[in-house]
Amino acid sequence: MIRRDFLLSGLVLSGSTLLPLSLSAQDSAGDGARKRGMAVNPGGIADWASLQPFIDVMKSARSWIGHMPGQWGGQDHHDLEAAGHLDENGWPTRIPPELSAIGTVLLTDLPEEAHLLAGRYVLRYEGEGILEVGGRVRNRRRRGKEISFDFTPGDGLIDLRITRTGNKEDGSDHIRNITIVHERHLDAHAAGEIFDPIWLDLLDGFEVIRFMNWMAPNDSTQDTWANRPRVNDYAWTYKGVPLEIMLDLVNRLRVDPWFTVPHLSDDEYNHNFATMVRDRLAPGLRAYVEYSNEVWNWQFSQAAWADEQARARWGKDNAWLQFYGMRAAEISEIWRKEFGESADERLVRVISSQTGWLGLEDMALNAPLWQSEGNPPPHSFFDAYTVTGYFGSRIGNEEYAPMVRGWLRRSLREAEESADEQGLSGQERKTWIADHRYDAAVKQAQKELRDGSVSGEGSDTLAHLMGEVWPWHMNVARKHGLSLIMYEGGTHVVGIGPMVDDEEITDFFIHLNYTPEMAELYHELISGWYDLGADLFNIFVDVGVPGKWGSWGGLRFLSDSNPRWDAIIAERDA
């Protein structure tokens, strides 16, 4: 049965206007003022990520690399698995004759400032064979099945290689269960702890954790429950983080999880996933469930797959979001049935659309081709409608490069003139210019990002987002009896297309994204979202190294401090 009662119980009357009830906690004082609920997307699990959330950094290792003699690589995890060289948890059972080693890499090309990752590590393993550790390691000491070494972040990586595995006589007892733990975490790891305690403190205060990066739904090949990530997998990078680990995290922090189930996942997968969440999620917490991620986005295979399914079912082109709405509704109903009478209190079912393409959402929310088969509109299966809160991508396009370069030339000139006016010379002058070369350019960028007042083009600015785009989606949410929440948001200032490889502009964008001026824009952005009556501003992401592909991390590394993150926390706690 569809939850039609939400159309009444999920709305309150304010004058003659229907307003969605907030999904976040109400103020305990009972004065009607609601608390600002804020969500966060953790960064992805990778060897090159500056956030290493797991005490055992082996869980963030790259998937296996099969090294052929005299070269780097030659085979990957899938080759080794297909040839039967891996056990059920992914550990190599043998080194095939065409390979000299099977290895992985860890802690790759990390910023030197990520000093919390520096120190002495202890590697332990079970089984027989030869295990070698190289790369950015120093002072190696081997004692039985334990190797300790020193590591400092910087260019390069830890190179781990298995050159022989298994008993010489019969090949049994292969190397397995490798753990790599910083010495300060050894006691915690022995006691069964999983997460870095400093990172847990960082998450304290957020109400929802969206696990998109951990579940890796983009281009996912997961289809059956048997193919899901497992706790005992050698690493949690090649399939994703196991559900048990995600539940352990949210139960510990007392925050709500937001899951993004794979687009290929079958009904049994969703029944079992929902059952585990229902049974293991701590009382008082709610599960947000979303079908895949950005099925509208043709960068990802889920969009093409949905289009193929729509064409096969209805014989129509460009109906991919109607199929998305249909399948999302089917999965939503599976979850509702598994949660039963507790669904209203413990489940938030989410449907999304492309934020800037106003009107596209109608295909997903109403899916007329599915309705023509006698089905209700997809929106009637959901509790929340979700969009993004990004701004600033326009200035990363090639057509705006002359404007940005002009800012940089004038800004450098002003820094030089200022140094000369102060009578600075030598190294003191160079340092002043280096510290202030972007000052004037940042001011121009802030104006442009706020309202387009420098170029005269108002699209993709805060003013456009808050004045036109978000109000459109708020009206869509109200029309369909849904709460409006965000699945990702923040700065989208990054080079696009050929500008990705423009080092001058990339360096400026990275600097800009962590300035006090960017922090001011974040204050306006987040306040504007809540002033609209929407809920759950969602940070993308908590920690991440900035580079030419974007400055997504609110923090650049776990011990970082910057004005943008300070603004996020101030708005969250307002």
Side-chain angles (χ1 to χ4, degrees):
M1 179 177 177
I2 303 166
R3 278 186 56 210
R4 300 182 187 278
D5 59 324
F6 185 81
L7 296 175
L8 296 176
S9 65
L11 298 169
V12 292
L13 284 172
S14 176
S16 59
T17 304
L18 284 173
L19 299 175
L21 274 176
S22 168
L23 291 173
S24 58
Q26 299 296 312
D27 190 293
S28 60
D31 60 3
R34 66 182 178 87
K35 180 182 177 183
R36 284 185 171 184
M38 188 175 284
V40 64
N41 284 264
I45 308 303
D47 59 280
W48 43 261
S50 61
L51 173 64
Q52 296 287 318
F54 307 121
I55 286 176
D56 177 9
V57 297
M58 182 65 193
K59 293 303 184 183
S60 300
R62 196 174 302 182
S63 57
W64 293 123
I65 305 164
H67 296 289
M68 291 184 172
Q71 71 176 59
W72 177 274
Q75 294 186 11
D76 61 18
H77 172 98
H78 299 291
D79 298 324
L80 296 167
E81 185 176 48
H85 299 317
L86 307 179
D87 71 11
E88 62 179 1
N89 297 320
W91 299 105
T93 57
R94 63 190 294 263
I95 309 297
E98 68 272 18
L99 299 181
S100 59
I102 295 176
T104 184
V105 298
L106 307 96
L107 304 179
T108 302
D109 293 337
L110 300 180
E112 294 179 2
E113 299 89 343
H115 62 83
L116 290 175
L117 294 173
R120 193 151 189 84
Y121 287 78
V122 177
L123 181 156
R124 291 170 177 156
Y125 64 95
E126 299 174 11
E128 299 295 332
I130 299 174
L131 183 63
E132 299 175 349
V133 183
R136 289 189 63 89
V137 301
R138 299 291 183 271
N139 303 320
R140 277 168 290 196
R141 298 289 184 272
R142 187 183 295 267
R143 185 178 62 183
K145 296 178 181 180
E146 177 180 299
I147 305 170
S148 59
F149 57 86
D150 294 332
F151 168 81
T152 56
D155 292 340
L157 45 77
I158 295 177
D159 184 1
L160 178 67
R161 300 191 185 205
I162 302 171
T163 57
R164 181 171 64 81
T165 187
N167 185 282
K168 288 183 178 180
E169 282 71 33
D170 60 10
S172 63
D173 200 20
H174 58 283
I175 290 177
R176 62 198 182 277
N177 299 336
I178 300 171
T179 62
I180 306 175
V181 179
H182 195 290
E183 64 178 1
R184 72 170 175 270
H185 295 317
L186 288 173
D187 289 344
H189 183 257
E193 295 291 340
I194 298 170
F195 308 105
D196 186 305
I198 298 176
W199 180 61
L200 294 179
D201 290 342
L202 179 75
L203 295 179
D204 186 31
F206 289 97
E207 290 195 4
V208 177
I209 295 177
R210 183 173 183 260
F211 286 113
M212 189 275 289
N213 280 322
W214 284 26
M215 294 186 69
N218 297 331
D219 306 318
S220 174
T221 59
Q222 283 184 51
D223 50 4
T224 65
W225 188 242
N227 192 34
R228 73 189 187 279
R230 307 290 186 122
V231 172
N232 290 328
D233 289 345
Y234 72 94
W236 296 334
T237 50
Y238 69 101
K239 279 188 178 181
V241 178
L243 174 56
E244 294 89 337
I245 302 302
M246 293 185 282
L247 287 170
D248 187 80
L249 176 65
V250 297
N251 286 342
R252 176 169 184 152
L253 291 172
R254 300 293 302 172
V255 300
D256 296 336
W258 182 332
F259 302 111
T260 54
V261 297
H263 68 283
L264 296 176
S265 59
D266 60 20
D267 288 357
E268 182 190 28
Y269 181 106
N270 282 279
H271 279 294
N272 290 334
F273 199 116
T275 298
M276 186 181 292
V277 174
R278 181 198 66 201
D279 294 345
R280 298 193 187 185
L281 185 63
L285 298 182
R286 293 172 298 180
Y288 291 67
V289 58
E290 177 186 7
Y291 174 52
S292 190
N293 174 69
E294 295 189 350
V295 178
W296 54 263
N297 192 338
W298 286 85
Q299 292 184 79
F300 307 131
S301 64
Q302 55 262 40
W305 178 84
D307 194 53
E308 292 170 2
Q309 300 304 307
R311 203 177 296 113
R313 186 182 185 103
W314 298 307
K316 300 288 186 180
D317 293 330
N318 300 317
W320 84 107
L321 278 192
Q322 295 197 54
F323 185 86
Y324 160 70
M326 180 204 78
R327 184 57 181 156
E330 291 174 343
I331 288 175
S332 172
E333 186 66 359
I334 288 172
W335 279 69
R336 187 197 65 80
K337 288 180 178 178
E338 291 299 334
F339 273 69
E341 295 181 356
S342 68
D344 286 1
E345 293 77 29
R346 302 192 67 209
L347 191 59
V348 180
R349 299 169 298 167
V350 181
I351 189 167
S352 73
S353 184
Q354 210 277 350
T355 309
W357 190 342
L358 305 183
L360 181 68
E361 72 284 341
D362 186 67
M363 286 204 294
L365 293 171
N366 291 302
L369 290 172
W370 194 50
Q371 287 196 63
S372 70
E373 299 174 352
N375 299 297
H379 69 79
S380 62
F381 290 80
F382 294 94
D383 309 305
Y385 171 57
T386 188
V387 295
T388 64
Y390 287 121
F391 67 95
S393 64
R394 175 171 54 81
I395 68 170
N397 285 306
E398 190 173 12
E399 65 182 290
Y400 289 94
M403 177 183 71
V404 176
R405 290 196 182 98
W407 296 345
L408 295 175
R409 286 194 301 270
R410 290 190 294 274
S411 189
L412 176 59
R413 187 167 59 249
E414 289 184 23
E416 292 170 340
E417 291 171 353
S418 176
D420 293 339
E421 289 170 2
Q422 296 176 71
L424 302 179
S425 62
Q427 186 59 47
E428 192 175 18
R429 182 179 187 274
K430 291 180 181 179
T431 300
W432 173 269
I433 292 170
D435 289 345
H436 297 277
R437 63 175 301 172
Y438 292 138
D439 288 1
V442 167
K443 295 294 185 184
Q444 291 295 99
Q446 185 190 43
K447 291 179 183 178
E448 182 68 13
L449 294 172
R450 179 176 283 125
D451 57 18
S453 58
V454 179
S455 69
E457 171 57 56
S459 65
D460 198 30
T461 62
L462 288 190
H464 180 245
L465 184 65
M466 296 189 293
E468 296 183 34
V469 177
W470 282 350
W472 171 281
H473 291 294
M474 175 55 82
N475 287 333
V476 168
R478 287 172 173 163
K479 175 183 176 182
H480 295 93
L482 306 173
S483 290
L484 179 63
I485 62 177
M486 184 183 294
Y487 67 89
E488 295 173 12
T491 173
H492 206 295
V493 178
V494 59
I496 297 173
M499 304 315 298
V500 165
D501 294 315
D502 189 305
E503 292 184 9
E504 179 187 33
I505 288 180
T506 291
D507 289 346
F508 170 62
F509 283 170
I510 291 173
H511 174 85
L512 169 65
N513 277 313
Y514 296 96
T515 58
E517 288 80 3
M518 181 58 73
E520 291 176 7
L521 295 176
Y522 262 70
H523 279 294
E524 297 169 26
L525 178 76
I526 298 171
S527 293
W529 177 256
Y530 291 113
D531 289 346
L532 185 69
D535 200 10
L536 281 183
F537 190 97
N538 201 331
I539 300 300
F540 188 88
V541 295
D542 56 352
V543 184
V545 180
K548 69 178 186 178
W549 303 113
S551 301
W552 310 113
L555 295 173
R556 292 160 287 195
F557 40 88
L558 193 52
S559 58
D560 187 24
S561 176
N562 68 75
R564 172 172 140 197
W565 185 257
D566 291 344
I568 290 169
I569 300 306
E571 290 293 332
R572 184 197 69 187
D573 297 341

